[in-house]
Amino acid sequence: MAIWCAHLSIDRWRQSLPAPEGCARGTGADAQPHALIAETAHGSRITAINPAAVQAGVRRDALLADARAVCPSLATSPADPAGDLAFLEALALWAQRWGPWSAIDPPDGIIIDVTGVSHLFGGEAALLGDAGRRLFARGLTVRAAIAPTAGAAWALAHYGPQPAIMHGGDSLDDLPVAALRLDPAVNLLLRRLGLKRIGDLGGVARPALARRFRNRHNPAANPLIRLDQLLGRVPEPLLPVIAHEVPLVQRRLMEPIRHRELLDRVMADLANDMARLLEARGEGARRLEAGLWRVDGEVLVRRLELASASRDAAHIVRLFAARLDDVDAGFGIEMVRLRAPWCEPVALSQRDFDAASEEHGTSLAACMDRLVVRLGEGAVRRPVPHASHLPERAQRWHPPLEPQPASQGELAFHERPLKLLDRAERIAVIYATPDGLPRRFSWRGKLHDITRAEGPERIAPEWWRERSSARLRDYYRIEDEAGRRYWIYRAGLAGDGRGGMPEWFLQGLCG
């Protein structure tokens, strides 16, 4: 497997700094010593420096007070670690043009799998050349290497000659031990022991090194683990960067538009498309971006941020109406695009179903009409409430064209689970006393501990329909240790004269 590792720290420093007034980026911005600083427990510490600061004697990871003593004219700006990481992730996704997957190596590295793809660029050297040219065009200067393992690629990219391509018989013994990606304290310890190069580690008996670092399980603190990763003796897990698909809808117009009325119509169509796309994903938009491409090539962008996730098309159109008042269409707008870069999960509500039924004619009556026409009247039934205290008798199935019987809603005060089983299933229940609350039950071969229980709700047998041996039921709403809720009942009481010991059944699943 071939791995390419890129070093990007200096260039990310350049993108973090604004160019001085009257100077182009990369010229006047680098003329004076400049550094990025971060606040630590021991004071301000330097995280990145420009070439002028290097020439002035400033070093990375030094305290700002020490750096100012070396270079009094050193200018500083606050570092942005979150922005650096976001930039590195975006660059890793863009760099997948050279391999099927990529991973970030914070704070300034990218690892790309280029196994079996170098021939598409004319060889490994041509691949590195293409990468260097493209990254230089983006304002970046990198150190790159191709090697069989990620550790070897990192070592060559940071301490090897450029460009670096490692083949099967090449050796890395001449590189310093810092190329093993060890902690500074471990590097200092190895140098004090006289082990300055990777090849020096081979001259020491492995059991001796193992005893010296036997209590260090972190790879960055154990040179043997890093050496094995470098040589490919042990695997090194890598977490690839996966692109997140951003909801996007757009309209390419046959004729450029210049009037506001036509633009509002296009935005309304895009808002409806975005609402349907977000609904299919179960999400709502928190940030929206509308891009307008003019005929002359200029792109106008208008952004919105919402207080809560929403996919209400009418609400989106109203908000964008105020943002589009200052749009200058010029010779015309030929494409409009709507993106939702920030989305959050939004569950469907009953109001969404009701609105859909009103707008698209998907009501229950319309659905029944379609099914009857397609399948016939005898193949369609609808549930109708029936006056009965027993849950399994509380509804009946009637033909869809029959009028619904009158109901007084006498059972509306009872809470029932969202799902009833077709037939109550027997369960084994453990309870403190024959009349106490259940504590544990077994259903379908799995044991459930009951953390909460509510009840009982007693339902007496329907004496006008049942035999004299019918037993009353005590229903309980329970919740197990995993948060799942059930509706169970106990059939009968101990000593009621209508059978043996009470039996337990599970009849429904609560939401």
Side-chain angles (χ1 to χ4, degrees):
M1 180 177 66
I3 303 292
W4 170 53
C5 181
H7 186 255
L8 309 170
S9 59
I10 294 178
D11 305 285
R12 182 52 189 160
W13 171 84
R14 287 177 179 169
Q15 291 204 3
S16 300
L17 293 178
E21 185 177 357
C23 297
R25 185 181 298 275
T27 56
D30 293 339
Q32 300 297 325
H34 209 131
L36 300 181
I37 60 173
E39 297 297 330
T40 65
H42 301 285
S44 300
R45 190 175 293 274
I46 294 176
T47 60
I49 53 179
N50 68 342
V54 174
Q55 296 177 1
V58 181
R59 295 292 179 263
R60 289 185 58 181
D61 297 327
L63 292 175
L64 178 60
D66 298 337
R68 284 272 171 80
V70 175
C71 179
S73 62
L74 179 66
T76 61
S77 296
D80 183 14
D84 294 344
L85 184 60
F87 170 79
L88 202 60
E89 291 178 348
L91 190 62
L93 290 174
W94 176 81
Q96 289 180 0
R97 63 184 64 235
W98 296 298
W101 66 263
S102 61
I104 63 173
D105 182 28
D108 51 18
I110 297 174
I111 298 175
I112 303 173
D113 182 5
V114 295
T115 306
V117 300
S118 59
H119 68 280
L120 301 176
F121 299 88
E124 294 177 344
L127 187 151
L128 289 181
D130 179 71
R133 288 190 299 271
R134 289 181 178 273
L135 291 169
F136 181 78
R138 294 173 65 92
L140 302 174
T141 303
V142 301
R143 294 179 57 87
I146 290 181
T149 64
W154 191 96
L156 288 173
H158 287 75
Y159 296 95
Q162 291 295 304
I165 300 177
M166 180 180 178
H167 301 287
D170 296 342
S171 174
L172 302 178
D173 291 345
D174 293 334
L175 297 182
V177 292
L180 293 177
R181 298 173 293 169
L182 297 170
D183 293 334
V186 181
N187 287 328
L188 179 60
L189 175 62
L190 293 177
R191 288 197 300 268
R192 289 177 176 176
L193 295 175
L195 306 175
K196 300 180 180 180
R197 300 182 303 109
I198 295 179
D200 296 338
L201 296 176
V204 181
R206 186 179 179 91
L209 287 176
R211 287 193 300 269
R212 179 64 182 81
F213 297 96
R214 62 182 180 274
N215 295 327
R216 302 188 182 186
H217 304 288
N218 185 10
N222 193 322
L224 289 179
I225 297 178
R226 285 302 194 194
L227 186 61
D228 291 340
Q229 292 177 347
L230 180 77
L231 301 177
R233 296 171 182 169
V234 297
E236 181 177 357
L238 299 173
L239 185 62
V241 178
I242 301 176
H244 175 68
E245 184 179 357
V246 176
L248 183 146
V249 293
Q250 66 180 15
R251 285 288 189 277
R252 296 183 180 271
L253 307 175
M254 297 181 62
E255 295 289 341
I257 59 175
R258 299 181 57 188
H259 300 289
R260 177 60 186 272
E261 294 80 5
L262 298 177
L263 180 59
D264 290 340
R265 188 181 305 173
V266 173
M267 288 300 301
D269 293 341
L270 289 177
N272 289 323
D273 293 346
M274 178 62 72
R276 286 192 290 269
L277 179 60
L278 293 174
E279 183 178 355
R281 296 163 58 103
E283 297 177 338
R286 287 293 305 274
R287 182 182 295 119
L288 292 165
E289 295 180 357
L292 294 82
W293 273 254
R294 298 197 323 189
V295 176
D296 57 5
E298 184 176 355
V299 181
L300 307 177
V301 180
R302 298 295 183 268
R303 295 179 175 86
L304 282 178
E305 285 202 6
L306 309 181
S308 61
S310 173
R311 53 172 176 256
D312 186 353
H315 181 59
I316 295 174
V317 171
R318 285 194 300 269
L319 294 177
F320 268 115
R323 296 295 178 90
L324 300 178
D325 290 338
D326 60 342
V327 169
D328 181 11
F331 294 102
I333 297 173
E334 60 181 355
M335 187 177 73
V336 183
R337 175 180 295 174
L338 186 61
R339 298 174 66 248
W342 179 13
C343 298
E344 291 181 351
V346 174
L348 285 172
S349 63
Q350 185 62 39
R351 184 174 60 181
D352 297 331
F353 292 110
D354 296 338
S357 65
E358 294 178 2
E359 295 178 5
H360 307 293
T362 56
S363 62
L364 178 60
C367 179
M368 291 169 56
D369 293 339
R370 295 177 183 177
L371 293 176
V372 169
V373 171
R374 176 170 297 184
L375 304 177
E377 296 182 7
V380 181
R381 293 288 185 271
R382 65 173 176 177
V384 175
H386 180 69
S388 177
H389 294 276
L390 299 180
E392 63 269 19
R393 298 178 182 173
Q395 66 179 17
R396 292 185 177 180
W397 295 92
H398 285 219
L401 301 183
E402 288 188 4
Q404 185 171 346
S407 176
Q408 298 180 358
E410 64 275 6
L411 303 178
F413 60 89
H414 291 300
E415 293 186 4
R416 294 292 179 259
L418 295 177
K419 181 179 180 180
L420 289 178
L421 302 182
D422 293 336
R423 180 176 298 178
E425 299 185 11
R426 188 186 302 274
I427 59 176
V429 172
I430 300 175
Y431 49 96
T433 62
D435 296 329
L437 293 175
R439 301 300 181 188
R440 179 180 296 177
F441 73 97
S442 175
W443 177 50
R444 295 183 178 179
K446 187 175 181 180
L447 193 63
H448 301 263
D449 289 324
I450 300 175
T451 58
R452 292 194 297 176
E454 179 185 1
E457 174 192 347
R458 177 161 295 181
I459 298 179
E462 297 177 342
W463 55 268
W464 59 95
R465 295 175 179 165
E466 303 283 357
R467 296 180 179 179
S468 60
S469 60
R471 312 183 76 173
L472 58 82
R473 302 179 183 180
D474 284 337
Y475 280 86
Y476 296 87
R477 295 165 58 89
I478 62 172
E479 180 178 323
D480 66 1
E481 71 281 359
R484 294 181 290 263
R485 298 181 178 180
Y486 307 90
W487 200 43
I488 66 175
Y489 72 86
R490 179 181 59 220
L493 296 174
D496 58 2
R498 297 191 176 186
M501 292 299 295
E503 297 179 336
W504 289 85
F505 296 87
L506 189 148
Q507 191 162 15
L509 305 177
C510 302

